[in-house]
Amino acid sequence: MVSIINSVDTGHEDMIHDAEVDYYGLRLATCSSDNSVKVYDIRNGASALLDDLKGHFGPVWQIAWSHPKFGNLLASCSYDRRVIIWKETNRKWAKYYEYTNHDSSVNSVQFAPAEFGLILACGSSDGSISVLTFTPETNSWDAKKIQNAHAIGCNSVSWAPATTPLFNGNENEQQPLVKRLVSGGCDNLVKIWKEAGDQWVEESKLEVHSDWVRDVAWAPSVGIHRHTIASCSQDRRVVIWTSNDCVTWNSTILHLFDDVVWNVSWSLNGNILAVSGGDNRISLWSQNAEGTWQCISDVAKGQGHINN
C-alpha cells in the first residue's frame, strides 16, 4: 500500500528534473531548469526551505547526497558542463568544489558507497565518465576519466554496492571489495566498469535496448544473493539484469510501457523497483516467489491517485 505523506511547493520557476532525500530522510534537495538547487527541511510532514543554491548557468539535471560520515555534501550537475559539490557549514550551503573538465552537458552524478571513501562519478554528453576522488591528507580531489565510455553521450551512472553478495552462503569467507560502476548511454548500451589498478576498464557490455538508455540503477545487495541492475530506455522498456559474477548477465524485460521510461530507482533493501516515465505515472514492481515481476502499485503523478 502506497500513500502520499507530503507535498512540497518548491517555488522552482521551471521544470524539476530530480528530487533526492538525504540519508536520514530529514531533508529534500531538488534541481530545476531554472538553474537552481534547493534544500528543504521535511521532518514531521512539513516542509521549509533551508537554502537556494545558485552557481549553475544552465538547467540542473541531477543531484546526489553524500554519506553523512563525510559531512553534509550535495553534488549537482548541469547542462553548463559543470559539477558542483556543495557543503553545509553552520546551516548555510556554499560551493565546496567545482569540476569543469567535461566538454558537454553533465547528465548524472552519484556518490560511491561510503566504504570506498568520498568518490563521485559523473556521466556526460561528451561520452565520458569522470570519477572524482577526495584525498583527506592533501584536502584535494583527483579526477580519472573514462574516455569514450558511450558514443554520442552518457546519460546515467550508478555504483555497485560495496557489500559483496554471498553466493556460497559462507559469511566467513571475506571477498575483497571491488569498485564497479554501471552506465547507460545514447548508444543504446548498458556497460559495467571495473577499477583495475589506477584505471577503469569495461567489464561487460549489455545489449537489449533499441533506443537511448535513460537511467540505470544497481540494486542494494541487502538480502539479495546476486548482482541486480535495472535499466530503462526510450524504447519504453525496463530491463532487469542479473549476474552471479559480473561477467555473465541475464536479462529479463520487466514491462513494455506506453511511453518513454525516464527513471528507475530501488528501495533501500533492493526488493522493490520504482519506475517513472512519459506516461506521467510512477509504478512499483516486486518479484514474486516464482521469480516473476509484478506491478504492486501504480500512482498517477500530480493526482495523488493510488491503484493497488
Side-chain angles (χ1 to χ4, degrees):
M1 178 67 181
V2 173
S3 60
I4 297 173
I5 61 173
N6 199 358
S7 179
V8 179
D9 182 1
T10 65
H12 279 297
E13 298 173 358
D14 208 330
M15 181 181 296
I16 297 170
H17 296 289
D18 195 18
E20 298 287 340
V21 175
D22 73 357
Y23 181 85
Y24 296 113
L26 300 177
R27 289 177 300 182
L28 170 73
T30 60
C31 63
S32 164
S33 278
D34 65 9
N35 304 353
S36 73
V37 175
K38 297 190 178 189
V39 182
Y40 307 85
D41 186 322
I42 57 170
R43 69 188 73 202
N44 301 322
S47 61
L49 180 65
L50 296 176
D51 217 333
D52 188 353
L53 312 182
K54 299 189 182 296
H56 285 291
F57 298 95
V60 186
W61 303 128
Q62 196 172 59
I63 45 185
W65 292 93
S66 73
H67 190 281
K69 72 182 287 185
F70 303 111
N72 294 323
L73 299 178
L74 184 65
S76 58
C77 62
S78 168
Y79 180 77
D80 67 8
R81 302 179 295 178
R82 295 187 299 163
V83 174
I84 298 177
I85 298 176
W86 310 83
K87 185 174 184 177
E88 184 193 32
T89 306
N90 298 325
R91 300 189 179 182
K92 292 299 293 182
W93 289 85
K95 202 178 291 185
Y96 179 57
Y97 176 72
E98 186 170 333
Y99 181 69
T100 59
N101 200 24
H102 279 291
D103 298 323
S104 191
S105 172
V106 184
N107 304 317
S108 181
V109 285
Q110 191 181 49
F111 281 104
E115 293 88 341
F116 294 136
L118 185 54
I119 306 175
L120 182 72
C122 320
S124 170
S125 290
D126 65 13
S128 68
I129 298 170
S130 291
V131 180
L132 313 179
T133 302
F134 180 73
T135 304
E137 292 78 13
T138 58
N139 195 36
S140 61
W141 292 83
D142 172 67
K144 285 188 172 63
K145 187 176 278 191
I146 305 171
Q147 299 283 5
N148 304 315
H150 289 276
I152 313 175
C154 176
N155 295 321
S156 180
V157 291
S158 178
W159 289 89
T163 305
T164 305
L166 303 171
F167 305 126
N168 56 10
N170 187 351
E171 297 184 15
N172 295 320
E173 288 190 16
Q174 186 68 33
Q175 299 185 49
L177 295 179
V178 177
K179 296 189 187 79
R180 282 189 174 91
L181 278 169
V182 59
S183 62
C186 302
D187 51 7
N188 309 347
L189 297 174
V190 173
K191 291 187 177 184
I192 311 295
W193 305 91
K194 176 182 178 181
E195 186 183 48
D198 62 350
Q199 62 182 347
W200 287 81
V201 297
E202 180 183 311
E203 190 173 33
S204 297
K205 180 188 298 182
L206 311 182
E207 303 181 63
V208 165
H209 289 294
S210 58
D211 207 335
W212 289 15
V213 178
R214 280 298 180 178
D215 198 16
V216 289
W218 204 308
S221 62
V222 179
I224 298 178
H225 300 311
R226 61 181 174 179
H227 296 280
T228 304
I229 293 171
S231 62
C232 65
S233 166
Q234 289 182 200
D235 66 9
R236 300 183 292 137
R237 293 183 294 177
V238 170
V239 177
I240 305 296
W241 308 86
T242 57
S243 175
N244 288 337
D245 56 9
C246 285
V247 176
T248 302
W249 291 85
N250 298 311
S251 64
T252 301
I253 297 176
L254 179 89
H255 187 67
L256 177 63
F257 290 82
D258 295 330
D259 207 333
V260 53
V261 187
W262 296 112
N263 184 261
V264 284
S265 180
W266 293 98
S267 61
L268 290 177
N269 58 6
N271 64 346
I272 296 176
L273 180 70
V275 179
S276 63
D279 59 0
N280 289 332
R281 308 187 77 86
I282 300 172
S283 55
L284 302 181
W285 299 77
S286 181
Q287 199 172 20
N288 64 20
E290 288 74 39
T292 303
W293 287 90
Q294 297 179 322
C295 181
I296 59 173
S297 185
D298 189 7
V299 183
K301 284 185 183 176
Q303 301 174 17
H305 180 65
I306 314 292
N307 293 327
N308 288 307

